[in-house]
Amino acid sequence: MLPLSIKDDEYKPPKFNLLAKISGWFRSILSDKTSRNLFFFLCLNLSFAFVELSYGIWSNSLGLISDSFHMFFDCTALLAGLAASVISRWRSNDSFSYGYVRAEVLAGFVNGLFLIFTAFFIFSEGVERALEPPHVNHDRLLPVSVAGLLVNLVGIFVFQHGGHGHSHGGDEGHGHSHGGHGHESKHGVGHEHSNEDGHSHGHGHSHGEHGHSHEDPHCHDELHTPGKGSSKQILQGVFLHIVADTLGSVGVIISAILMQKYDLMIADPICSMCISILIGVSVVPLLRESIGILMQRTPPSLDNALPECYQRVQQLQGVYNLQEPHFWTLCTDVYIGTVKLLIAPDADSKWILSQTHNIFTQAGVRQLYVQIEVATM
Amino acid sequence: MFRKDPEKTQLVTEKGTMYSITMESVSTDEIMQMEKDSNINHCHDNSQATEDREREKQLARKRLYVVSAVCLVFMIGEILGGYFAGSLAVMTDAAHLLVDFASFIISLVSLWLSSRPATRTLSYGWHRAEILGALLSVVTIWLVTGVLVYLAVQRLIRDNYEIEGTIMLITSGCAVLANIIMAFTLHQSGHGHSHGGLSSGHSHSHGNKDKGNHGHSHAVGDRHGHSNKSNHSHGNGNQENHSHGNGDVEQHGGVDVQRYELSESQPQANASVRAAFVHVVGDLLQSISVLVSAIIIFFKPEYKIADPICTFLFSIFVLGTTITILRDILIVLMEGTPAGVKHGEVRDRLLAVKGVKSVHSLHIWALTMNQTVLSAHVAIDDLVDSQPVLREMTQTCFSNYNFHSVTIQLEQQSDQKPGCSLCDDPKI
């Protein structure tokens, strides 16, 4: 019997549906609190930048145009953070066996780099202006700077938890506490560590969490899910960017006031230079951390725990030697390690394997690869 | 070379420090005994990757030195010329060359950094410094392009710029010449080396036993330590045969059969040299754009709007050239599987080893362009002796690919949990 109709639809290759893809991204963005905040703040910033640009073109003010370019630059930082928070949630595949979780570290690093460049540009502008003070008319710039400041204050309020690193051990807290105190004095915003941004520690250093029994060396008894803690780098980068922008606006306002009231022309370049130095200093912890992660550095928070673990493993019965330990951070709070053990021919390798896993899990390393080599005698 | 002082064998690896308590846990006699009787392939017998890397770095360093010197000479020439001619255009071009020079220095510094020995905190060494340096270079390209676009927009809006046609023509001509020389250097010395210097470099026999099929050409750790910048396809050397790219693949035994496979296995060039090359190409494109607009303006001075428009157009080209290297850098930094290695294929090879029941948590990632690391959990048959299986799997890995290190955790089949979702393969 011939078929009465031929439905080809199921045999056609799936069309590249752009709309479906974009709506998928939107759903992903709106599902998570962090990315939702980022998205709305990005929209706010973008619209403000467009308004400033159009006003500047209409009134032919170069200062406004350059300021709007600066805002666009900031929007790229926000965009990078947003993209990273969406990308890091993608599933792993053959080309990226660990998934895409490193995106957040990269976003933090790129943000840090941009901030350094921004600080450098502001500094050079300040030097330029100090050498040849231009007669810039600040009148039109003032209300716009105030509006920009308000927008940034909104950002700071929304992202204030991004700057206070919820790290477990080695807390490079200097940059953050500086920023924090600065905020208290300036904006009188309290520092309740409310949990709205959800820095829940999906894999804290809990000791009882692993479900191993001692006999069972199966490696996946603990779940590995990158929780909210993994957005720490992104939020830190974004937060620092917003702080830098705020400082810029504040600097412009202060120097405008100084110039108008006291006719201190030198105030402008000095403000710029101070601000650029502040920005540079505040970025250093973020950069150090993300560079450390990207260089496959041993996790700083494990620096003390690891030698102890090595000792414990070497004291296990039958273990001759522990060789080539490599431990590194995949993303915030996710540590991965490889180790080679040389054991005696009569040792119980299953037991040694399970014990080793236990020892390192207690230290916080969930993914461990132990290659056991038996010495021949 | 690998049979070091037996007393030190356990404590010192080629890469430097290795954590170990003291000799308490094992006596000297036992170690010497182990050393003599062991048929274990020492885990660093297969250090092809390390040797290749050394060669690659030497080559890269030489090329970068030459190119930095050329750049410096032209830059000084342009600064002097611009000063005496009083022309801004020449000075801005000199500034562009300065940025290029800075990025070459960044590349050299990151190459030097990556030679430093491994430490306790950086257990893999400083290899990643090269990738970060390359990323920094590419970011500076983007920045410079952004600044140029900004200036061009400014010009379009203000429309109060003067263009001196003749000086612009001469400057851009010189700049194009300089960039061509640099591009040629970065490009040519690689090619010249491939036929000359490297064949001497291949007189050593490959320490690995080529157990696996020779039919596959894999680019990871192209065994010739060959740094190319653009995509030259190479076949893999079986024993002493090697073929060189640039389109002319020498006919060595079995290689022509693999030619259709060559396109998929592109060797990965040294990241620093690639970044430098991309810089030079970008500069070349921008000089060409200046040349084009200079010619237009020279013959038709009223079309001075050609200047910003050319800048826009060529900026887009420049950003396009950065895409390939940016993609490769991102793959390395995201701990992705490097381009020359296929996850599924490695998995199949491991599964093909006798006694292996399943492979999970297979992760392949790169330290830098040609240094790949593999780690896996493998479940083997309960009744099979683990050491020969381990040895064979390690051997398979090293003979077919050029891994930097391989770590395989063996588990018993009886311990596997059938429903564990984390043991599933990553979805394609």
Side-chain angles (χ1 to χ4, degrees), chain A residues 17-34:
Chain A
N17 199 344
L18 189 64
L19 213 57
K21 252 196 174 189
I22 293 184
S23 63
W25 289 342
F26 266 113
R27 248 179 293 131
S28 173
I29 291 177
L30 294 173
S31 61
D32 176 43
K33 174 129 194 156
T34 314

Side-chain angles (χ1 to χ4, degrees), chain A residues 4-139:
Chain A
L4 291 175
S5 69
I6 300 178
K7 291 216 180 79
D8 273 334
D9 290 352
E10 54 210 53
Y11 303 113
K12 282 197 201 140
K15 272 193 285 195
F16 179 76
N17 199 344
L18 189 64
L19 213 57
K21 252 196 174 189
I22 293 184
S23 63
W25 289 342
F26 266 113
R27 248 179 293 131
S28 173
I29 291 177
L30 294 173
S31 61
D32 176 43
K33 174 129 194 156
T34 314
S35 38
R36 233 194 336 239
N37 285 340
L38 278 171
F39 180 66
F40 286 131
F41 192 65
L42 174 68
C43 290
L44 184 61
N45 246 351
L46 259 182
S47 41
F48 189 73
F50 269 119
V51 163
E52 209 178 346
L53 182 67
S54 38
Y55 186 58
I57 291 182
W58 174 72
S59 68
N60 214 354
S61 151
L62 203 58
L64 276 179
I65 293 180
S66 62
D67 202 47
S68 73
F69 265 122
H70 190 191
M71 286 217 86
F72 277 121
F73 196 60
D74 284 344
C75 289
T76 54
L78 282 173
L79 192 63
L82 186 63
S85 70
V86 167
I87 288 176
S88 54
R89 281 201 293 273
W90 287 351
R91 270 186 311 196
S92 63
N93 54 30
D94 259 5
S95 339
F96 289 93
S97 50
Y98 282 117
Y100 294 84
V101 283
R102 267 283 172 96
E104 53 126 359
V105 179
L106 275 178
F109 178 65
V110 165
N111 268 339
L113 269 187
F114 276 6
L115 276 171
I116 295 262
F117 283 131
T118 310
F120 181 69
F121 277 134
I122 295 180
F123 192 81
S124 63
E125 240 180 53
V127 166
E128 219 179 274
R129 279 198 228 143
L131 293 178
E132 313 178 356
H135 294 283
V136 180
N137 187 1
H138 268 250
D139 282 346

Side-chain angles (χ1 to χ4, degrees), chain A residues 237-300:
Chain A
V238 166
F239 183 73
L240 284 176
H241 223 110
I242 297 176
V243 164
D245 214 16
T246 315
L247 286 177
S249 307
V250 166
V252 167
I253 292 176
I254 290 181
S255 65
I257 293 177
L258 280 178
M259 280 199 282
Q260 280 178 356
K261 288 224 171 132
Y262 303 110
D263 213 22
L264 267 177
M265 277 306 176
I266 198 76
D268 194 24
I270 290 192
C271 266
S272 307
M273 290 195 259
C274 286
I275 288 171
S276 65
I277 293 179
L278 272 176
I279 295 176
V281 163
S282 67
V283 167
V284 168
L286 172 66
L287 268 185
R288 268 222 317 242
E289 198 179 328
S290 32
I291 288 183
I293 294 181
L294 291 175
M295 292 278 285
Q296 308 290 102
R297 188 193 186 282
T298 314

Side-chain angles (χ1 to χ4, degrees), chain A residues 62 65-66 69 92-100 102-103 106 109 113-114 117 121 216-224 291 294-298 303 307 310-311 314 320-328 330 338-340 342 350 353 357 367-377, chain B residues 10 18-21 25-26 30 34 37-38 40 43-44 120-124 126 128-129 132 135-136 139-140 143 147 150 154 157-158 330-331 333-337 343-344 360-365 375-377 387 390 406-412 415-417 420 422-423 426-428:
Chain A
L62 203 58
I65 293 180
S66 62
F69 265 122
S92 63
N93 54 30
D94 259 5
S95 339
F96 289 93
S97 50
Y98 282 117
Y100 294 84
R102 267 283 172 96
L106 275 178
F109 178 65
L113 269 187
F114 276 6
F117 283 131
F121 277 134
D216 185 355
H218 185 75
C219 52
H220 289 303
D221 285 332
E222 58 287 322
L223 278 182
H224 155 62
I291 288 183
L294 291 175
M295 292 278 285
Q296 308 290 102
R297 188 193 186 282
T298 314
D303 263 341
Y310 299 155
Q311 282 209 16
Q314 296 210 321
Y320 283 153
N321 216 339
L322 179 145
Q323 303 171 354
E324 284 188 52
H326 292 295
F327 287 86
W328 47 282
L330 180 62
T338 66
V339 119
K340 289 194 167 98
L342 191 64
K350 203 164 133 171
L353 185 63
H357 270 270
Q367 297 194 41
L368 188 64
Y369 298 83
V370 181
Q371 177 162 315
I372 292 190
E373 288 172 5
V374 176
T376 54
M377 295 298 263
Chain B
Q10 311 298 337
M18 187 175 75
Y19 189 87
S20 164
I21 245 184
S25 34
V26 74
E30 284 175 332
M34 274 186 264
D37 295 352
S38 80
I40 297 176
C43 55
H44 296 127
R120 196 81 70 78
T121 44
L122 286 174
S123 53
Y124 282 115
W126 292 75
R128 278 283 171 92
L132 287 180
L135 181 63
L136 198 59
V139 167
T140 45
L143 267 179
V147 165
Y150 175 66
Q154 242 183 12
I157 293 181
R158 268 199 293 198
L330 279 181
I331 288 182
L333 290 177
M334 296 273 286
E335 312 288 313
T337 313
H343 191 270
H360 57 260
S361 286
L362 175 65
H363 291 295
I364 308 174
W365 51 278
S375 54
H377 289 160
Q387 291 305 295
L390 178 63
V406 169
T407 308
I408 300 181
Q409 173 170 310
L410 294 177
E411 299 167 356
Q412 304 213 318
D415 291 325
Q416 301 309 301
K417 278 198 184 144
C420 174
L422 294 163
C423 287
K427 311 274 178 285
I428 304 198

